[in-house]
Each structure stands twice: as C-alpha cells, then as structure tokens.
Amino acid sequence: MSNAYSKDLERWLPRLISVWRASRGRGDGPEGRLTPQEVKEVGAGVKQLSLGLTRERQLAGARYMDDPRLLGAYLLFYWPVSYAQARQVLGELPNRPRHVLDLGSGPGPVAFAAMDAGASEVTAADRSKPALELARKLATEAGEALATREWDPLKKNATLPEGQYDLITMGHVVNELYGATDEALKPRAALLESVLTKVKKGGSLLVMEPALRETSRNLLKVRDLLVERGYAIRAPCMYRGACPALVKETDWCHAERAWPMPKVVEELARVAGFHKESLKMSYLLVAPKGEPWPEPPPGRLFRIVSESLEGKGRQRYIGCGPEGRVGLAMQERHRSEKNEKFFHLQRGDVIEATDLETKGDGYALGENAEVRMVAQAGRGVPPAPKPPEPPREPAAPVPPAKP
C-alpha cells in the first residue's frame, strides 16, 4: 500500500477507537491505541468473526453487525483491512468517481475509502441500523458528509437507493447472499445486473470478496454469468471468455498486496491467533451493459495471478491475459538487463513479454526475452493508444468572384 493510503488510514484509526469507546459509553483510554484489556476483549470478537465468516461460515448472511460486540470487533479490525483493500482496487478505476453508492456498507470502510480516493458524494446503504449509526458517527468525527440509507437485498420487493452513480461498491457482501450452494449464483448475478442499471455510462460496479477458495470461485462463476449476458470486465480480467481459473477444481484467482499493517490491527491479529501480513481479496470491476471491454495496449500481455513459483535455476509464475491462463517460466541463465523485472514480479502486476516458446502448460521465455512492466498491481492497465486521425484534406480554393 502506498504511503498516501497508509497516512489516510492512520488518520482513521483514532476515530475508529473513539467512536467504538463512545458506543460502549466509555470515553476514557489512550488516544489512538487500545489498552491491553481492550485488545483482549476485542481480539475475542475478532476470532469469533473470523471463524464465523471464513472457516465455519455460520455467520455468513447472519445479522452479526447488530451484535454490539461483533460490530466493535469488525470496526477495529476488519474496517481497516477492508478500507485498505478498497483503496488498492480503486486505484484501477479508469476515471475518478464523483457520486458513489456503497451497498452492504456496514460501518463504511469502503464508503470512506471512496471518499478519500476523491469521491464528492457518497451514500452508505446497509440493513444494520447500528452499523449505519457508527458510519454516521465516523463521518461526524472526520468532518465529512455521508448520506446513509437502509437497504436489505433479502427483503421482498427491496429497492435500490434512487439515482445514478459513477461507482457502486459491494465489499464482502455478495458471498453472504442467497445461501452457500451453486443455486445462489443466479440470484447473485441477477442482483448485480439490477445494481448495474444504476451505474452511469463510463462508471463501474466494484464487487470485492474474501480470498477464500470457495468465495473466490463463486465470484468467478458469477463473473461468467455476467460475461455470458454481455457485460464487460474492466479489471482484473483481460481474458474475455469463460474464466480459465475454473477449469480445475483446485484453482482460484485472488489478489494479494503488501501493506504496512497498523499497530492496532497487528495487536488484534496476534490475540486472535492469526496473521495478516498481506491484503488478500478477490474482486471484479464490471462495466454497465453495452460498454465494450477495455482495449489493452499492444503486445503479449499477462497479469501475474500466482505467487512466485521459483524452482531450481528458474523463475516461474502463472499469468492470465487476452490469450488465457498460462505458465510463464524463465531459466536463470537467460536473465539479462532486458528481462530482470521477470525475477521480481508481484501477484497483480501486468507485463508484456517477448520471445515466448510454447512449453508444457504455457510459455518459456527465451534468452532474447524482453519483459516490460505495463501496470503494477493496484494500477489500471493503460488503454490501447488511439489510432492517429487521418490528415485533413486541404480545403478547395474559393474561386474569385466574377466581376
């Protein structure tokens, strides 16, 4: 995460702690940090949330944000994580959004991330009144204007907030809707289609999910349903067909970003018994109906979708680009100034590579290979250059007027 994101998040942490203490009727305590007793108390809630949302999944879809203890644990641990994830993904938007709607907002981490990324009008919508109340208190604490609406997609005849938006976000929401079986995929895709009718031309829908195998694969299955129905994906996909990560049951696709973990998050993670050294999430940026897929720049492009698979005497990754999901490998002896970048890639980077030879499940980069960084992880892929306009024909000379 860049220094700008880190500084923005650091400004939020004292506000999160202050609002949490006020919600419990306790305003005392050191500013910007938790006491050992508070760390222990909140850490227990974080552990319960983690088990219920990522392992046993019994809290998925439940009204856990109406529970003050779990809402507090979310606010102090998952709020900073979701904020940082959103700031990373928002860096890939083709345009800075002005009007934003955050659906399933909880206490607003993604809403405030959009605000800090330059949005001027943000609406947070959720079914939990306590979560929306905390979002409003955070806005007051920060001196920001945040609109809030109640929204429950599971209610019969549920309606979306009025208006059209440059960006609609759904952070860690869709995986909790309509159950845990494949039968949930079609209603999830239908919900996203209805949400996309509220996105302005040139705008985007951001769907962000946990990086678990199940939730990530289900997001890719929903992606395929949308692609079949004519929707274009702005990011991270450059492949326009059915997702190749779904071919093998053992595969899935997610993003991973390094970030300087705030001390509060680090303390709570330690007490809860797990580590969060990096940000992991699955995401899609979807264009509204009728908009074309982005045209990438020329060359053979690949987004790195795996960690380093370094082996004896070689470097290897899995890449996914316009031609599909493939292995990319280079022998150490072929390393040169022109391809040095290949040996230091991160998951999410987009590269252009030359001198590719078909080998095994993908390509081997030869001794003359060149590797160019097209877009670092968290940055948008630049569009293909527009063709030059044809030169205008000189205007025909005007004949002199007759005497």
Side-chain angles (χ1 to χ4, degrees):
M1 187 168 61
S2 74
N3 288 333
Y5 300 179
S6 301
K7 288 174 184 174
D8 288 344
L9 181 53
E10 286 296 332
R11 282 193 288 269
W12 280 105
L13 292 171
R15 300 165 188 162
L16 297 174
I17 293 170
S18 173
V19 165
W20 172 70
R21 284 181 177 143
S23 71
R24 301 164 74 239
R26 300 180 193 173
D28 54 329
E31 185 179 353
R33 58 189 177 89
L34 299 175
T35 66
Q37 181 57 38
E38 288 173 332
V39 170
K40 185 177 178 183
E41 176 189 333
V42 178
V46 170
K47 188 171 184 179
Q48 187 180 343
L49 272 178
S50 176
L51 286 171
L53 293 174
T54 64
R55 295 187 199 174
E56 299 164 3
R57 299 284 292 163
Q58 83 275 11
L59 287 179
R63 301 187 73 105
Y64 54 87
M65 287 204 184
D66 289 347
D67 180 327
R69 192 171 70 90
L70 295 182
L71 178 58
Y74 180 92
L75 186 70
L76 296 178
F77 185 82
Y78 286 105
W79 197 106
V81 172
S82 295
Y83 175 96
Q85 291 172 335
R87 285 299 299 267
Q88 279 284 344
V89 178
L90 292 172
E92 296 194 46
L93 288 172
N95 306 300
R96 185 169 70 172
R98 297 292 182 184
H99 300 91
V100 177
L101 171 63
D102 182 22
L103 293 173
S105 64
V110 180
F112 289 113
M115 198 176 284
D116 287 348
S120 52
E121 292 182 29
V122 180
T123 300
D126 200 275
R127 65 180 178 175
S128 170
K129 291 180 181 179
L132 289 177
E133 179 62 22
L134 283 189
R136 286 191 289 270
K137 287 178 178 176
L138 282 172
T140 301
E141 190 86 6
E144 299 282 3
L146 176 75
T148 58
R149 301 282 185 277
E150 286 189 41
W151 174 75
D152 184 350
L154 301 180
K155 267 190 177 177
K156 196 174 181 181
N157 302 321
T159 56
L160 291 161
E162 292 182 4
Q164 293 286 304
Y165 300 87
D166 302 306
L167 173 68
I168 299 182
T169 58
M170 300 180 78
H172 305 292
V173 177
V174 177
N175 75 93
E176 298 188 15
L177 300 177
Y178 311 117
T181 67
D182 279 353
E183 292 177 3
L185 300 176
K186 286 186 178 178
R188 288 176 186 173
L191 173 63
L192 297 189
E193 280 202 272
S194 69
V195 170
L196 280 157
T197 64
K198 294 282 188 177
V199 177
K200 295 177 185 176
K201 185 177 179 181
S204 302
L205 165 64
L206 165 59
V207 183
M208 200 166 65
E209 296 281 65
L212 305 169
R213 176 180 171 277
E214 177 193 351
T215 52
S216 299
R217 284 181 66 85
N218 284 342
L219 179 60
L220 296 177
K221 290 174 183 177
V222 170
R223 168 217 182 266
D224 283 0
L225 290 174
L226 293 175
V227 170
E228 281 175 19
R229 296 170 193 178
Y231 291 89
I233 308 299
R234 297 201 191 281
C237 312
M238 292 184 283
Y239 186 65
R240 303 184 183 189
C243 179
L246 293 175
V247 174
K248 294 181 184 176
E249 282 290 327
T250 52
D251 286 343
W252 76 98
C253 191
H254 69 274
E256 185 171 1
R257 308 280 189 267
W259 76 311
M261 186 185 295
K263 188 170 182 183
V264 170
V265 177
E266 190 178 352
E267 288 177 334
L268 293 174
R270 192 183 308 117
V271 170
F274 50 85
H275 302 283
K276 279 203 172 287
E277 291 107 357
S278 60
L279 294 169
K280 294 181 181 179
M281 64 280 186
S282 295
Y283 70 96
L284 293 174
L285 282 170
V286 189
K289 193 69 174 280
E291 294 208 15
W293 284 75
E295 282 296 335
R300 300 185 74 176
L301 269 53
F302 304 92
R303 185 184 290 277
I304 303 303
V305 293
S306 74
E307 69 278 12
S308 167
L309 304 171
E310 190 175 352
K312 189 175 181 181
R314 72 166 187 177
Q315 180 62 276
R316 187 172 184 271
Y317 307 94
I318 303 298
C320 192
E323 54 198 276
R325 183 182 172 96
V326 295
L328 299 169
M330 176 179 277
Q331 297 295 323
E332 182 73 35
R333 68 177 184 272
H334 292 155
R335 189 170 186 161
S336 72
E337 221 176 286
K338 292 181 179 178
N339 57 47
E340 177 67 27
K341 284 186 174 65
F342 188 80
F343 294 86
H344 309 283
L345 295 174
Q346 303 295 320
R347 190 192 294 260
D349 289 342
V350 177
I351 60 168
E352 178 196 356
T354 66
D355 193 27
L356 302 173
E357 177 190 342
T358 302
K359 195 166 185 179
D361 66 350
Y363 299 113
L365 283 72
E367 59 183 333
N368 297 317
E370 294 185 32
V371 174
R372 180 178 70 89
M373 181 70 72
V374 175
Q376 289 183 310
R379 302 284 179 87
V381 176
K386 291 182 180 178
E389 292 186 11
R392 293 182 181 178
E393 291 186 13
V398 179
K402 291 181 180 180

